mmCIF file with all atom_site columns, all heavy atoms in Angstrom:
data_model
loop_
_atom_site.group_PDB
_atom_site.id
_atom_site.type_symbol
_atom_site.label_atom_id
_atom_site.label_alt_id
_atom_site.label_comp_id
_atom_site.label_asym_id
_atom_site.label_entity_id
_atom_site.label_seq_id
_atom_site.pdbx_PDB_ins_code
_atom_site.Cartn_x
_atom_site.Cartn_y
_atom_site.Cartn_z
_atom_site.occupancy
_atom_site.B_iso_or_equiv
_atom_site.pdbx_formal_charge
_atom_site.auth_seq_id
_atom_site.auth_comp_id
_atom_site.auth_asym_id
_atom_site.auth_atom_id
_atom_site.pdbx_PDB_model_num
ATOM 1  N N   . GLN A 1 28 ? -87.702 -66.605 -42.771 1.00 49.00 ? 44 GLN A N   1
ATOM 2  C CA  . GLN A 1 28 ? -87.095 -66.745 -44.085 1.00 49.00 ? 44 GLN A CA  1
ATOM 3  C C   . GLN A 1 28 ? -86.695 -68.198 -44.326 1.00 49.00 ? 44 GLN A C   1
ATOM 4  O O   . GLN A 1 28 ? -86.106 -68.831 -43.476 1.00 49.00 ? 44 GLN A O   1
ATOM 5  C CB  . GLN A 1 28 ? -85.872 -65.839 -44.151 1.00 49.00 ? 44 GLN A CB  1
ATOM 6  C CG  . GLN A 1 28 ? -85.470 -65.503 -45.539 1.00 49.00 ? 44 GLN A CG  1
ATOM 7  C CD  . GLN A 1 28 ? -84.432 -64.410 -45.517 1.00 49.00 ? 44 GLN A CD  1
ATOM 8  O OE1 . GLN A 1 28 ? -83.590 -64.388 -44.640 1.00 49.00 ? 44 GLN A OE1 1
ATOM 9  N NE2 . GLN A 1 28 ? -84.504 -63.514 -46.459 1.00 49.00 ? 44 GLN A NE2 1
ATOM 10 N N   . GLN A 1 29 ? -87.006 -68.713 -45.478 1.00 45.00 ? 45 GLN A N   1
ATOM 11 C CA  . GLN A 1 29 ? -86.728 -70.113 -45.782 1.00 45.00 ? 45 GLN A CA  1
ATOM 12 C C   . GLN A 1 29 ? -85.656 -70.239 -46.857 1.00 45.00 ? 45 GLN A C   1
ATOM 13 O O   . GLN A 1 29 ? -85.904 -70.743 -47.943 1.00 45.00 ? 45 GLN A O   1
ATOM 14 C CB  . GLN A 1 29 ? -88.009 -70.828 -46.241 1.00 45.00 ? 45 GLN A CB  1
ATOM 15 C CG  . GLN A 1 29 ? -89.053 -70.952 -45.169 1.00 45.00 ? 45 GLN A CG  1
ATOM 16 C CD  . GLN A 1 29 ? -88.581 -71.784 -44.005 1.00 45.00 ? 45 GLN A CD  1
ATOM 17 O OE1 . GLN A 1 29 ? -87.913 -72.773 -44.187 1.00 45.00 ? 45 GLN A OE1 1
ATOM 18 N NE2 . GLN A 1 29 ? -88.913 -71.359 -42.796 1.00 45.00 ? 45 GLN A NE2 1
ATOM 19 N N   . LYS A 1 30 ? -84.451 -69.775 -46.574 1.00 44.00 ? 46 LYS A N   1
ATOM 20 C CA  . LYS A 1 30 ? -83.335 -69.925 -47.493 1.00 44.00 ? 46 LYS A CA  1
ATOM 21 C C   . LYS A 1 30 ? -82.635 -71.235 -47.174 1.00 44.00 ? 46 LYS A C   1
ATOM 22 O O   . LYS A 1 30 ? -82.651 -71.702 -46.050 1.00 44.00 ? 46 LYS A O   1
ATOM 23 C CB  . LYS A 1 30 ? -82.342 -68.780 -47.349 1.00 44.00 ? 46 LYS A CB  1
ATOM 24 C CG  . LYS A 1 30 ? -82.854 -67.485 -47.910 1.00 44.00 ? 46 LYS A CG  1
ATOM 25 C CD  . LYS A 1 30 ? -81.722 -66.524 -48.022 1.00 44.00 ? 46 LYS A CD  1
ATOM 26 C CE  . LYS A 1 30 ? -82.207 -65.285 -48.750 1.00 44.00 ? 46 LYS A CE  1
ATOM 27 N NZ  . LYS A 1 30 ? -81.131 -64.409 -49.090 1.00 44.00 ? 46 LYS A NZ  1
ATOM 28 N N   . SER A 1 31 ? -81.977 -71.780 -48.151 1.00 41.00 ? 47 SER A N   1
ATOM 29 C CA  . SER A 1 31 ? -81.195 -72.983 -47.893 1.00 41.00 ? 47 SER A CA  1
ATOM 30 C C   . SER A 1 31 ? -79.881 -72.883 -48.640 1.00 41.00 ? 47 SER A C   1
ATOM 31 O O   . SER A 1 31 ? -79.762 -72.189 -49.642 1.00 41.00 ? 47 SER A O   1
ATOM 32 C CB  . SER A 1 31 ? -81.963 -74.234 -48.327 1.00 41.00 ? 47 SER A CB  1
ATOM 33 O OG  . SER A 1 31 ? -82.219 -74.186 -49.704 1.00 41.00 ? 47 SER A OG  1
ATOM 34 N N   . ASP A 1 32 ? -78.890 -73.613 -48.163 1.00 41.00 ? 48 ASP A N   1
ATOM 35 C CA  . ASP A 1 32 ? -77.619 -73.604 -48.854 1.00 41.00 ? 48 ASP A CA  1
ATOM 36 C C   . ASP A 1 32 ? -77.588 -74.733 -49.875 1.00 41.00 ? 48 ASP A C   1
ATOM 37 O O   . ASP A 1 32 ? -78.557 -75.428 -50.103 1.00 41.00 ? 48 ASP A O   1
ATOM 38 C CB  . ASP A 1 32 ? -76.457 -73.694 -47.853 1.00 41.00 ? 48 ASP A CB  1
ATOM 39 C CG  . ASP A 1 32 ? -76.505 -74.973 -47.038 1.00 41.00 ? 48 ASP A CG  1
ATOM 40 O OD1 . ASP A 1 32 ? -77.247 -75.888 -47.417 1.00 41.00 ? 48 ASP A OD1 1
ATOM 41 O OD2 . ASP A 1 32 ? -75.787 -75.052 -46.024 1.00 41.00 ? 48 ASP A OD2 1
ATOM 42 N N   . THR A 1 33 ? -76.441 -74.932 -50.508 1.00 41.00 ? 49 THR A N   1
ATOM 43 C CA  . THR A 1 33 ? -76.342 -75.901 -51.592 1.00 41.00 ? 49 THR A CA  1
ATOM 44 C C   . THR A 1 33 ? -76.459 -77.344 -51.109 1.00 41.00 ? 49 THR A C   1
ATOM 45 O O   . THR A 1 33 ? -76.732 -78.230 -51.889 1.00 41.00 ? 49 THR A O   1
ATOM 46 C CB  . THR A 1 33 ? -74.997 -75.738 -52.321 1.00 41.00 ? 49 THR A CB  1
ATOM 47 O OG1 . THR A 1 33 ? -73.952 -75.874 -51.365 1.00 41.00 ? 49 THR A OG1 1
ATOM 48 C CG2 . THR A 1 33 ? -74.914 -74.374 -52.985 1.00 41.00 ? 49 THR A CG2 1
#
Side-chain angles (χ1 to χ4, degrees):
Q44 201 169 37
Q45 294 297 321
K46 287 193 173 190
S47 61
D48 61 14
T49 56

